[in-house]
Amino acid sequence: MRDVTPDVPAPRRRSFLKYTGALGAAAAVSASLPACSAGPESTNDTGTGSGQDRTLTAVIGYGNDGSWDPTQTASAFCMAANHHIYEGLLDTDPISREPYAALATEVPKDPDSTSWRFALRTGATFHDGKPVTADDVVFVFQRILDPGTQTLAKGFFASWLKEVRKIDARNVELVLKFPFPDGLSRLTLAKIMPKHVFSRPGAWDEAIKGKAIGSGPYRQTAHHPKSNTTFEAFDGYNGPREPAFRKMNWLTIVDAAPRVAKISGAGVGAQIADNIPYANIGQLESGGLTVAGGAGMNNLFLMFNTRHKPFDDVRVRQALHYAIDTGKMVEVALKGHGKPSSSFLDEANPSYRRAKTVYDYDPDKAKALLKQAGVKGLSIEILAVNVSWIVDCLPTIKASWDAIGVRTTLSPQETTAVFTKLDQKQDYQVVAAASNPNQFGLDADLIMHYNHGPENLWMRYTRWAADPVARQLFKDMDRATREPDPARKKAIVQDYIDVVAEQAVLYPVVHNELMTAWDPARLSGIRAQPYPGINLLQAKWA
């Protein structure tokens, strides 16, 4: 996350999983855009201009220096920005996740068909003025489905999408391996990028570093890693989400105190901010701001290195979960804005069922499990991301483990540092970090493949994929993906989540709310998301 959910460096050691991207050196931008400077031209443009021409300033609590490649990124900042810069054939409502026609002219009428045909919107152009064509669509999907190219998006498409064919310059066909209606909402994760730009040598590395050229309502005008990214309304946009703001300036402020200060008090310099600390809600509300959030998949998870003894023993992993006083964590660290996990999924998910193994606080059971495993005198260093709310939760874990005789050391570090160590296959014992697969969607099949897919980075980090239990899990996950009956599919998913809960290799400790604050006197149409980032495609000046 990071910042809140970890943005894990992807296969090419750039961003892969989570939320706050942190890799990426100097940003590269289109030749049609101003070159990046070492620092921002202005991070204090907080509404200059008059009427509709004034700048909207937002504060994002995650780094803007993760991967900007839409096929790779899990960075909260970059994903949120890309939703404003790029379009999919279909995009989804940020709350309901219902698909709507974006670059395509309509949503397929038969979701259960194994062939979806899309006509591209007449007059759609990229930010450099070139028309969007079927070649651009095929180009992006070929990258995603290419067996020799490892992308994050591949895990969302390869299991059910066979190929994408060009019919003519404005029409494409998606050929499915089997009926998969959930795939319609996933099309927003395949942002259409200009082939004439990103097929050039080195262009994907430029995309990782910040080069962004799409067909969406806003174009990127400048990108300054670790500082801010600016946007301007794209005059050539003719799609369904017209830009309401002439200019936008998104500041990246990972530290909580300056982020809150930027949107409050005498020094107010922004109209909206995400990742609001629970302790500041009352202060912001008393100052006239609206603060709202939503419960979802956002969670603190523990990830164990199963090749580092004794964490290869499921009893040890279970013991450490049972030992955590999650009630205290929710009360003290989360100020009541969370719940102890009772499944891998949060309780609001349509596929939720209470897991057969629930880690209610039970230190006596924890001690008994360690004794059964023959473990004595265990010392653990928790490698943790330095996301503010994660750091708040860590003392409860330490106190809980110390109380059962496990000597515990906390080692919070920048998200980039944590996942670079994992990418380099350095040894570790336990990682504590944040995750929220809801930024990709709500369907349980997607969420579980994101974290437990057989070839994804999370399973590589755990060193667990070759375990016989894991191999059977992967088979059950594949069976659920292919199951056409919704009720049976849901039951298969719930059953294999019971296995994930029992094994506790990568498992949430608590699910919590994410809070967004904004000035209702200046902005309207804001809807707080239960996942990191902001979406301003339906917002406007008040």
Side-chain angles (χ1 to χ4, degrees):
M1 52 232 159
R2 47 166 84 25
D3 330 353
V4 140
T5 73
D7 185 322
V8 178
R12 300 174 57 168
R13 292 217 337 104
R14 302 292 207 270
S15 68
F16 183 70
L17 294 176
K18 233 92 250 207
Y19 295 8
T20 298
L23 295 203
V29 293
S30 161
S32 64
L33 300 178
C36 289
S37 60
E41 294 176 1
S42 172
T43 58
N44 297 309
D45 191 353
T46 59
T48 57
S50 60
Q52 299 302 307
D53 290 332
R54 62 194 187 277
T55 298
L56 178 139
T57 299
V59 183
I60 311 297
Y62 312 97
N64 72 338
D65 56 347
S67 174
W68 282 70
D69 174 359
T71 71
Q72 290 279 50
T73 191
S75 160
F77 190 111
C78 305
M79 283 194 70
N82 282 345
H83 284 309
H84 297 73
I85 295 170
Y86 293 99
E87 298 176 281
L89 290 170
L90 306 180
D91 282 325
T92 58
D93 180 87
I95 306 301
S96 72
R97 313 314 279 268
E98 285 296 314
Y100 64 86
L103 267 175
T105 56
E106 64 178 359
V107 178
K109 294 181 173 60
D110 183 6
D112 292 311
S113 174
T114 55
S115 174
W116 296 334
R117 291 198 172 197
F118 296 96
L120 300 181
R121 188 175 71 236
T122 301
T125 62
F126 290 111
H127 298 156
D128 61 2
K130 300 291 182 62
V132 181
T133 70
D135 289 329
D136 301 303
V137 177
V138 173
F139 167 71
V140 169
F141 278 101
Q142 282 181 339
R143 172 174 168 80
I144 291 172
L145 298 177
D146 180 6
T149 303
Q150 184 61 45
T151 63
L152 175 61
K154 179 183 292 184
F156 303 143
F157 292 94
S159 63
W160 56 274
L161 182 59
K162 181 179 180 181
E163 63 177 318
V164 176
R165 301 171 178 166
K166 173 183 176 181
I167 298 174
D168 56 36
R170 289 191 56 251
N171 291 273
V172 296
E173 179 187 17
L174 274 62
V175 181
L176 282 61
K177 298 176 181 179
F178 47 84
F180 192 70
D182 286 342
L184 290 176
S185 63
R186 295 193 191 184
L187 293 182
T188 189
L189 301 174
K191 298 301 187 187
I192 306 306
M193 307 170 72
K195 179 180 179 179
H196 64 273
V197 173
F198 292 102
S199 62
R200 297 170 180 167
W204 289 113
D205 285 334
E206 292 178 342
I208 288 169
K209 296 174 183 177
K211 186 173 190 173
I213 301 174
S215 62
Y218 295 93
R219 66 183 187 92
Q220 184 195 78
T221 52
H223 176 55
H224 309 285
K226 299 184 182 295
S227 175
N228 71 313
T229 303
T230 61
F231 311 81
E232 185 171 284
F234 175 42
D235 292 335
Y237 178 74
N238 66 347
R241 296 288 187 268
E242 294 186 4
F245 309 106
R246 172 47 49 187
K247 295 181 180 181
M248 296 194 298
N249 185 22
W250 288 19
L251 313 178
T252 169
I253 304 179
V254 176
D255 292 340
R259 186 167 65 250
V260 170
K262 197 71 178 179
I263 196 174
S264 62
V268 61
Q271 296 86 43
I272 184 170
D274 76 344
N275 196 15
I276 297 299
Y278 307 122
N280 296 106
I281 293 175
Q283 164 203 341
L284 296 179
E285 288 179 335
S286 65
L289 299 181
T290 297
V291 184
M297 269 297 294
N298 206 64
N299 66 84
L300 179 157
F301 67 87
L302 295 180
M303 178 171 67
F304 293 92
N305 179 357
T306 61
R307 289 187 188 169
H308 189 125
K309 291 183 178 296
F311 308 110
D312 58 332
D313 192 322
V314 65
R315 293 170 296 185
V316 175
R317 301 192 298 266
Q318 289 180 342
L320 294 172
H321 272 279
Y322 278 120
I324 299 173
D325 189 345
T326 51
K328 179 180 179 181
M329 182 181 290
V330 169
E331 177 185 359
V332 175
L334 304 181
K335 310 299 182 187
H337 292 275
K339 290 184 177 181
S341 299
S342 57
S343 167
F344 194 90
L345 301 175
D346 65 288
E347 294 181 14
N349 189 282
S351 294
Y352 168 83
R353 182 182 73 189
R354 184 177 172 87
K356 289 183 178 179
T357 304
V358 176
Y359 297 101
D360 295 323
Y361 178 47
D362 193 338
D364 291 334
K365 188 169 187 176
K367 292 177 183 177
L369 285 167
L370 290 177
K371 184 176 181 179
Q372 291 172 21
V375 174
K376 298 179 181 178
L378 181 60
S379 297
I380 295 178
E381 178 185 57
I382 302 177
L383 180 63
V385 298
N386 65 345
V387 180
S388 55
W389 72 269
I390 294 289
V391 172
D392 291 342
C393 291
L394 292 177
T396 299
I397 300 178
K398 173 177 170 53
S400 298
W401 288 0
D402 286 346
I404 63 167
V406 175
R407 295 187 298 277
T408 309
T409 302
L410 302 178
S411 182
Q413 302 176 22
E414 288 189 359
T415 299
T416 310
V418 172
F419 288 100
T420 295
K421 289 179 180 179
L422 296 177
D423 263 1
Q424 294 174 347
K425 299 181 180 180
Q426 295 183 26
D427 189 37
Y428 75 94
Q429 294 175 293
V430 184
V431 164
S435 175
N436 194 328
N438 282 164
Q439 63 180 347
F440 304 109
L442 292 176
D443 70 272
D445 180 271
L446 179 154
I447 290 170
M448 299 309 298
H449 276 85
Y450 171 69
N451 283 116
H452 289 81
E455 297 181 358
N456 72 17
L457 282 183
W458 291 120
M459 290 297 96
R460 295 182 204 173
Y461 294 155
T462 63
R463 283 81 153 166
W464 188 61
D467 188 281
V469 177
R471 289 178 177 177
Q472 183 59 50
L473 170 67
F474 302 150
K475 291 178 181 178
D476 292 340
M477 292 172 70
D478 183 63
R479 184 163 59 94
T481 299
R482 294 174 175 272
E483 174 56 57
D485 180 79
R488 286 199 292 269
K489 180 187 185 84
K490 182 177 180 179
I492 296 171
V493 170
Q494 290 172 335
D495 287 346
Y496 76 62
I497 287 177
D498 284 340
V499 175
V500 170
E502 178 188 47
Q503 292 296 309
V505 171
L506 188 161
Y507 202 71
V509 175
V510 290
H511 289 105
N512 70 313
E513 291 182 279
L514 289 176
M515 312 303 294
T516 301
W518 67 92
D519 185 349
R522 305 173 83 177
L523 293 178
S524 65
I526 302 295
R527 292 182 294 166
Q529 303 175 167
Y531 53 95
I534 57 174
N535 187 300
L536 301 173
L537 294 179
Q538 293 175 288
K540 59 185 179 180
W541 292 115

